[in-house]
Amino acid sequence: MPWFVKIEEGIVEKPEFDLHVPAHKAYVKELIANGHQARSGYWTQRGGGMMVFQAASLEEAKAIVAKDPLIQNGCVSYKLYEWQVVVE
């Protein structure tokens, strides 16, 4: 299954962002349970982060991102890339 990367930048104040983090974490755990090998985290300097995950296609990857609570609640802007793994 191809890998995808969602690179995101926070667009709301931290208190608003933090309200939606528990739902985002639960969503990532759901993706993991469903075989998407998802990982999510933030840049140590704050202000953004990324999620890496597997999906069957770009269309499925877009649908996965659209269901992310951080996206649904307007907390981040993002770019989605298919990531070609070279070394495992």
Side-chain angles (χ1 to χ4, degrees):
M1 217 173 356
W3 284 93
F4 294 87
V5 180
K6 175 185 65 147
I7 304 289
E8 55 194 29
E9 182 177 336
I11 56 174
V12 298
E13 296 297 322
K14 189 172 181 336
E16 172 70 18
F17 184 91
D18 288 349
L19 290 174
H20 304 288
V21 169
H24 169 72
K25 287 180 175 180
Y27 183 61
V28 173
K29 288 178 182 178
E30 180 183 322
L31 291 174
I32 293 166
N34 289 326
H36 292 284
Q37 303 294 320
R39 302 293 182 267
S40 182
Y42 59 87
W43 313 128
T44 56
Q45 72 270 20
R46 303 287 177 150
M50 71 182 233
M51 182 170 75
V52 178
F53 62 98
Q54 289 183 309
S57 65
L58 179 59
E59 291 74 24
E60 182 183 32
K62 288 178 180 179
I64 287 170
V65 169
K67 293 178 186 173
D68 186 331
L70 294 179
I71 301 301
Q72 290 185 335
N73 290 286
C75 296
V76 297
S77 62
Y78 71 93
K79 293 186 178 179
L80 179 64
Y81 301 95
E82 184 170 350
W83 181 41
Q84 182 61 56
V85 177
V86 177
V87 178
E88 292 189 60

